[in-house]
Amino acid sequence: MEKLSSAGIAWRAAQDIEDGAYVNLGIGFPEMVAQFQPEGRHVTYHSENGILGMGPAPEEGEEDWDVINAGKKAVTLNPGASLFHHADSFAMVRGGHIDLAVLGAYEVAETGDLANWRIGSRGVPAVGGAMDMVSGAKRVAVVTEHVTKHGAPKLVDRCANPLTGVGCVWRVYTSLAVVDVVEGRFVLREKLPGLSMEALQSVTGAKLHVQGTVADLKVPEGL
């Protein structure tokens, strides 16, 4: 089954970020979303370690390791950027001042529940700022593969892994589709051209509902 690359998923998610938005991107894959900000659209990126106004990633060899994001990656600062204590940064999140948080996921339930910090009881849990993000940001979107590396659905009727947040996810961008959470149901908005509903449903762990037209999920060639 053909699918989008991680860059393709990130590109699609970036298209929906509104002009003037304040946005927090989760560590790792979600950080790619910033690379595809549409030209002419102004977005202010926030990092929970205490930055508001991150710019593009620096060129290799041009990194300033005193300026890093919450994922310990070197970043640049746009004109007017602010640096502050991480406690103030979390207060910014908890105070409802972040318009959108884009996070990764192990599972998303049709109720909007999100699991993204621990798989079962294995390994060392990776608790970061996600729990604050999902409870404080005005909207939460997820970027993820549609299935795990073992082929198990990541969009499910009920999360089996420990929850990060309850009923918090607004939209999911996957390698196969764009899906909204609406009143405890998955509503399919876009799917890859040529992918049948039956094939998509077969790799989704909860029923996909359709309201109106399902658009083709297209990204630029080369992504």
Side-chain angles (χ1 to χ4, degrees):
M1 183 181 295
E2 292 188 4
K3 64 175 188 176
L4 294 183
S5 65
S6 296
I9 301 170
W11 178 91
R12 178 60 191 87
Q15 308 314 300
D16 286 345
I17 298 178
E18 298 177 346
D19 187 48
Y22 289 80
V23 178
N24 183 286
L25 302 177
I27 294 170
F29 172 28
E31 294 175 1
M32 293 181 67
V33 172
Q35 300 178 25
F36 302 108
Q37 180 180 312
E39 188 174 353
R41 198 173 300 179
H42 179 74
V43 177
T44 302
Y45 290 103
H46 166 272
S47 182
E48 56 266 38
N49 64 327
I51 303 175
L52 189 66
M54 286 185 296
E59 297 292 333
E60 186 174 352
E62 299 295 323
E63 299 94 342
D64 178 351
W65 292 106
D66 286 330
V67 184
I68 60 173
N69 65 11
K72 301 178 182 178
K73 295 184 179 66
V75 297
T76 61
L77 302 176
N78 285 329
S82 299
L83 303 176
F84 37 86
H85 192 277
H86 65 271
D88 296 319
S89 188
F90 276 94
M92 197 176 293
V93 176
R94 293 166 184 164
H97 304 292
I98 301 300
D99 296 310
L100 175 69
V102 182
L103 304 173
Y106 294 137
E107 293 173 314
V108 179
E110 61 186 350
T111 54
D113 295 351
L114 171 65
N116 80 343
W117 68 282
R118 187 172 195 173
I119 298 177
S121 59
R122 292 182 285 117
V124 178
V127 178
M131 293 174 183
D132 289 274
M133 292 298 164
V134 300
S135 60
K138 294 174 183 174
R139 278 184 164 180
V140 176
V142 165
V143 289
T144 182
E145 292 282 339
H146 202 88
V147 300
T148 70
K149 61 182 178 181
H150 302 297
K154 299 185 78 169
L155 275 63
V156 296
D157 56 358
R158 182 176 181 180
C159 294
N161 292 299
L163 295 183
T164 307
V166 175
C168 56
V169 176
W170 156 66
R171 172 165 283 189
V172 187
Y173 302 90
T174 82
S175 47
L176 301 178
V178 177
V179 177
D180 281 347
V181 175
V182 181
E183 298 178 346
R185 304 185 305 166
F186 284 136
V187 176
L188 180 63
R189 301 301 189 194
E190 300 177 19
K191 65 179 179 65
L192 291 182
L195 177 63
S196 71
M197 279 295 301
E198 291 76 15
L200 181 60
Q201 185 63 73
S202 71
V203 292
T204 307
K207 182 175 176 55
L208 291 169
H209 297 265
V210 174
Q211 295 177 352
T213 302
V214 176
D216 285 341
L217 173 53
K218 295 181 178 179
V219 304
E221 291 186 11
L223 292 182

